[in-house]
Amino acid sequence: MQYLKHMSERVNFVDENDFEYINILNRPEFIYGTTAISGKSVDFYKYTARISEEILDMNERTRIDFQNQSSASSGCRLRFITSSHKVVFKVSLKREWDYSKMTLWNSSGFDVYEINGEEYKHRTVFGPKTGQKMFAEILSTSPGKGYCIFLPNYNVINELYIGIEKGSQLLPFPYKHALPIIFYGNSITQGASASRSGNSTCNIVSRQLNSDVVNLSTSSSCKGQQSVAILIGRINSKAIVIDYTRNAYDIKSFKETYERFYNKVRYYHPHIPIILMTTSNFHDWKGYYGYDDVDKETYAKAIIRKENTYLINQRDLFNGDDYDLVAVDGIHYTDYGMYKIAKEIVRILKEQ
Amino acid sequence: MKFYNLKDPIYIFGSTINHIIPYYSGFTENSTCNPVGGQIRFCSNSFNFSIRYTVSASPIGNFQNTGISTRSGITVLIKNNKAQWRIVDCVYAKESGELSFCKSKYDNLPAVLEIMICLPIFSNLSDIQVGIDDECMLEVIERKNMMKILVLGGVSSYGIGCTSSSMMFSNIIARKLNCIVYNISFNNNQHLEVITQHIDRIVDMYNEFDVILFEADYERQKPEIVQNSLNNILQKLSVYKCPIVMWNIEKDKIYKYVVDNKQKSLSPVFLMPIKEVFEKESDLCCFSKNFINDTANILLYKMFSKFFDKITKEC
């Protein structure tokens, strides 16, 4: 890896005269997982201006987290096929510092998979060290093979260029089935605290089902607003995972918003599977117990109405003896936790 | 609240916090000491707790795979009334930090609470104190019947790849099996060479171990270093007359050394070719061939835990 002072700085590991660069942010056909489906440039912003204004009017913690995370590339992927034998990445990120509960290869990591048929094989992960946000990296590629790179879960990509050998091609690598699975949740659903960006639950599900995903989760900002339910309602999707619980202001506002939120999403998507999740509470924090009761009640009503709805009780997926291994701080999952949740989501969706 | 100094050795378990072996940050030898692999343990009947700590000499390097809480922060755990550990939080502070909690927020806690604090792997811990309610007591954990385990190794044993220090397999073993784990590991690609330099001092410092978990190899380690160092280290460790579990190995590469050692009737040596497991589960366990993550540390604990039963029966 070479750290750059500016994006036009030449890299020292290849002769740049033999490469041509493509500004990926001007080529939306290479990026998957964004909500913006039109326009000539990639827009990582998760929400409409109106919803953003609504969230920015909330409390200070929510506002700060939303400002940092609303255009993070969590759940987004760069997918391509190339005839080039080497690919050079030049990247400029917004943030150069660690988050206290995750590695930099998650928050700022580019997690590279090579795809053969439906099989994803992990190749490498790269990202800058503490204090750096502009860098170049090289990846050796096999011509004709597909590549899927999971983008940083907790950082914003300001610039992204890909250099390929002159005369070679870089082609989009679409999914066979275009409809995405939507994830809506909190900091965990956004990706904390997987060890690398590809190992968040949403991204594991994407790999295991070889499916497009849209991750609308932003840390602290998941409040179950009706406007977000309508946004989700308007995205043509094959399944929805709702991990809205503990970001609610309190149990009272959770009770007022949760069932309404679910019903609104269900109104727009009457038939597809919707998976509800209880709280991720692995330190027996009493404050969260009431939230789970609301989840369960909403689920029970949906089942009475014979809706295609499922409930994942996150605590029940693990043995109580293992709770100190599931999450780094009692809440935010390790890969161990992420995989178990993903496995359960995949199991439900495969039964459809 | 009244505050107690937790840097007192009566509260420190398995740490190299006060010993004289320098640590290697991978690019420079640091002559000061850090508390890698150490825990602070105590009990108290207090209702409220406040843990204050100060760290220094936090290195900045290529640690993209290791959480800043592991490098320079602490993780606090409590034991519930079913003897299960629960994580209160993992935190990081650039210099001084504080973590406060109240028992009333958590379910299933006993009247006298056992607390474990997992310490940072890179920063020096200049100061650490706990504040408890004025009328309450701080109790020392009895360590008389605890099993003593030596974790000797390199990058993976050191905790590189962990998001928080509570996920290091040495710390998981310490709390889950309620034993004292001495983690003497080096963040160095050629760690057998470094262990060779320090093995006499290690043997002088520690009288007994019940089991030794020895990270015998590493992807980037030069074969000649393995060839030159391994027998010598195994011979020195045989003074403990306890089982030695060698892991992170390619079976064929290490096999001949083990055969040699058996011929010399040294300590019983067990091979755990864990690399094969990690390779099979690479998506879940690895960043690359060089680095394992939290999940791999969890798997290591689970494998060692099963292995301890086997060793106990065979020895």
Side-chain angles (χ1 to χ4, degrees):
Chain A
M1 177 164 292
Q2 181 184 338
Y3 295 107
L4 306 173
K5 288 188 184 70
H6 47 82
M7 289 295 275
S8 54
E9 186 178 334
R10 296 182 83 81
V11 298
N12 55 24
F13 42 73
V14 291
D15 183 349
E16 282 198 319
N17 294 321
D18 298 334
F19 282 75
E20 56 189 337
Y21 282 96
I22 298 160
N23 182 353
I24 289 294
L25 298 193
N26 283 341
R27 302 288 297 275
E29 67 271 28
F30 287 98
I31 300 288
Y32 288 80
T34 60
T35 48
I37 51 170
S38 60
K40 288 181 180 170
S41 60
V42 176
D43 180 2
F44 287 111
Y45 213 74
K46 292 179 193 296
Y47 293 112
T48 60
R50 200 174 76 77
I51 295 173
S52 300
E53 275 171 29
E54 213 178 284
I55 296 172
L56 290 169
D57 273 346
M58 294 175 179
N59 62 16
E60 194 185 351
R61 163 99 195 270
T62 305
R63 189 168 62 247
I64 291 168
D65 272 1
F66 188 74
Q67 279 167 343
N68 286 327
Q69 307 302 338
S70 55
S71 51
S73 50
S74 62
C76 294
R77 284 132 286 133
L78 165 63
R79 289 169 62 92
F80 61 83
I81 295 177
T82 181
S83 54
S84 182
H85 294 81
K86 285 174 183 166
V87 171
V88 175
F89 296 85
K90 277 187 166 182
V91 185
S92 171
L93 298 173
K94 182 181 173 187
R95 180 187 165 101
E96 68 259 53
W97 306 112
D98 297 72
Y99 285 94
S100 65
K101 294 178 184 180
M102 69 187 92
T103 68
L104 280 165
W105 272 346
N106 177 1
S107 58
S108 304
F110 290 72
D111 206 359
V112 182
Y113 281 79
E114 195 172 85
I115 301 168
N116 214 345
E118 297 268 302
E119 191 191 342
Y120 285 68
K121 191 181 175 200
H122 188 240
R123 275 286 308 278
T124 188
V125 53
F126 62 85
K129 65 181 180 182
T130 305
Q132 298 286 344
K133 57 182 179 180
M134 207 179 285
F135 63 93
E137 181 62 292
I138 188 164
L139 179 73
S140 48
T141 44
S142 304
K145 282 200 172 158
Y147 289 87
C148 178
I149 301 178
F150 294 92
L151 300 178
N153 277 330
Y154 271 78
N155 212 331
V156 175
I157 299 172
N158 286 335
E159 292 179 82
L160 172 58
Y161 290 86
I162 284 188
I164 54 171
E165 291 160 336
K166 274 184 181 164
S168 61
Q169 280 186 309
L170 189 78
L171 299 170
F173 183 44
Y175 289 97
K176 266 188 192 164
H177 309 288
L179 287 186
I181 302 162
I182 297 173
F183 287 76
Y184 173 63
N186 47 46
S187 51
I188 309 162
T189 333
Q190 190 182 334
S193 297
S195 67
R196 49 185 167 83
S197 53
N199 273 356
S200 64
T201 294
C202 159
N203 288 342
I204 297 166
V205 169
S206 163
R207 276 203 303 283
Q208 292 192 352
L209 295 175
N210 195 21
S211 172
D212 194 8
V213 288
V214 172
N215 193 347
L216 290 172
S217 311
T218 50
S219 180
S220 306
S221 315
C222 178
K223 308 282 185 197
Q225 310 99 285
Q226 288 291 292
S227 53
V228 175
I230 293 167
L231 173 74
I232 292 172
R234 286 176 180 163
I235 302 173
N236 195 8
S237 54
K238 63 181 167 204
I240 298 163
V241 178
I242 298 173
D243 190 14
Y244 164 47
T245 48
R246 59 189 188 82
N247 273 181
Y249 291 112
D250 50 35
I251 188 72
K252 183 173 171 284
S253 69
F254 186 64
K255 280 178 183 168
E256 287 166 2
T257 53
Y258 189 74
E259 193 177 343
R260 271 189 80 209
F261 182 83
Y262 165 77
N263 286 341
K264 181 66 85 176
V265 173
R266 180 52 88 194
Y267 169 78
Y268 284 100
H269 296 283
H271 303 302
I272 64 170
I274 296 180
I275 300 173
L276 308 175
M277 315 258 281
T278 61
T279 50
S280 162
N281 172 15
F282 298 98
H283 46 198
D284 299 343
W285 206 65
K286 288 178 194 169
Y288 289 155
Y289 290 165
Y291 289 71
D292 290 355
D293 294 338
V294 177
D295 285 346
K296 288 171 189 169
E297 202 180 306
T298 303
Y299 167 70
K301 286 182 187 171
I303 292 303
I304 290 168
R305 294 192 296 265
K306 297 192 183 332
E307 290 168 358
N308 191 8
T309 303
Y310 303 83
L311 178 73
I312 295 180
N313 189 324
Q314 303 199 58
R315 281 162 63 89
D316 284 356
L317 288 182
F318 303 91
N319 183 317
D321 287 337
D322 275 358
Y323 280 11
D324 58 329
L325 307 176
V326 170
V328 297
D329 56 354
I331 298 169
H332 297 95
Y333 284 122
T334 59
D335 298 42
Y336 181 68
M338 293 281 186
Y339 261 83
K340 275 237 171 155
I341 302 297
K343 193 177 167 188
E344 187 61 11
I345 294 170
V346 167
R347 185 190 68 74
I348 292 168
L349 296 183
K350 274 189 171 172
E351 282 176 3
Q352 297 298 309
Chain B
M1 266 194 164
K2 55 184 175 184
F3 279 83
Y4 290 83
N5 171 22
L6 293 175
K7 268 189 93 175
D8 189 322
I10 59 171
Y11 301 118
I12 297 168
F13 280 67
S15 176
T16 55
I17 197 163
N18 290 320
H19 81 42
I20 48 170
I21 296 174
Y23 82 90
Y24 288 76
S25 64
F27 47 87
T28 170
E29 183 177 340
N30 190 326
S31 58
T32 54
C33 294
N34 69 340
V36 59
Q39 314 100 40
I40 286 171
R41 298 179 67 173
F42 57 90
C43 287
S44 177
N45 58 347
S46 181
F47 208 66
N48 298 291
F49 295 87
S50 176
I51 295 162
R52 293 176 180 170
Y53 64 99
T54 307
V55 293
S56 59
S58 306
I60 291 183
N62 284 309
F63 304 125
Q64 292 95 320
N65 56 3
T66 308
I68 198 160
S69 298
T70 312
R71 282 140 52 192
S72 303
I74 59 169
T75 303
V76 177
L77 299 103
I78 51 181
K79 197 189 261 186
N80 71 12
N81 55 19
K82 295 175 193 160
Q84 296 167 326
W85 286 100
R86 298 289 182 256
I87 297 177
V88 174
D89 208 350
C90 68
V91 291
Y92 151 78
K94 203 170 180 185
E95 289 170 355
S96 298
E98 181 168 3
L99 188 137
S100 299
F101 63 98
C102 174
K103 271 173 71 175
S104 63
K105 288 191 172 175
Y106 300 89
D107 206 4
N108 304 318
L109 295 186
V112 176
L113 190 60
E114 184 176 341
I115 295 177
M116 177 184 279
I117 305 170
C118 295
L119 303 177
I121 67 168
F122 279 129
S123 296
N124 293 335
L125 190 64
S126 315
D127 183 38
I128 184 158
Q129 298 179 28
V130 63
I132 58 173
D133 296 334
D134 286 335
E135 69 282 9
C136 294
M137 302 288 289
L138 201 68
E139 292 173 24
V140 174
I141 303 271
E142 176 61 61
R143 60 181 91 193
K144 206 164 76 184
N145 296 320
M146 284 188 183
M147 187 161 70
K148 293 188 183 71
I149 297 173
L150 171 63
V151 166
L152 185 66
V155 170
S156 298
S157 301
Y158 197 90
I160 300 299
C162 289
T163 309
S164 75
S165 52
S166 68
M167 293 299 158
M168 291 166 64
F169 74 86
S170 60
N171 281 337
I172 301 174
I173 290 171
R175 68 176 181 270
K176 297 276 200 188
L177 304 181
N178 195 32
C179 54
I180 306 173
V181 179
Y182 297 90
N183 186 331
I184 301 181
S185 304
F186 301 91
N187 180 26
N188 188 301
N189 292 338
Q190 315 301 326
H191 69 266
L192 289 190
E193 196 170 52
V194 187
I195 290 172
T196 304
Q197 288 168 26
H198 295 292
I199 190 70
D200 287 332
R201 197 184 290 171
I202 293 167
V203 170
D204 281 348
M205 282 170 60
Y206 299 98
N207 294 328
E208 58 167 338
F209 293 113
D210 298 299
V211 181
I212 295 170
L213 302 179
F214 180 24
E215 183 186 349
D217 204 359
Y218 181 60
E219 188 70 25
R220 290 180 181 171
Q221 192 154 247
K222 294 174 191 158
E224 59 268 28
I225 288 179
V226 179
Q227 198 164 355
N228 296 336
S229 314
L230 202 56
N231 269 337
N232 178 42
I233 295 169
L234 285 173
Q235 277 184 28
K236 301 273 184 187
L237 292 176
S238 69
V239 71
Y240 295 111
K241 295 185 171 52
C242 70
I244 300 171
V245 182
M246 291 169 63
W247 67 278
N248 211 13
I249 55 173
E250 284 167 27
K251 213 169 183 176
D252 294 342
K253 193 172 163 188
I254 301 291
Y255 185 71
K256 100 179 182 55
Y257 302 109
V258 177
V259 170
D260 288 349
N261 278 295
K262 275 189 176 163
Q263 283 167 352
K264 288 170 193 164
S265 302
L266 300 178
S267 296
V269 174
F270 298 85
L271 293 180
M272 284 189 72
I274 274 172
K275 271 183 76 173
E276 292 168 16
V277 179
F278 290 162
E279 275 165 17
K280 205 183 279 178
E281 301 283 345
S282 63
D283 209 24
L284 182 59
C285 294
C286 301
F287 294 101
S288 64
K289 281 186 170 182
N290 301 322
F291 300 113
I292 60 172
N293 66 8
D294 296 320
T295 308
N297 276 267
I298 294 166
L299 288 185
L300 273 171
Y301 151 70
K302 294 200 169 188
M303 287 176 192
F304 288 141
S305 178
K306 278 184 191 164
F307 218 71
F308 290 153
D309 294 338
K310 190 183 163 195
I311 291 167
T312 315
K313 282 173 195 159
E314 287 187 21
C315 302

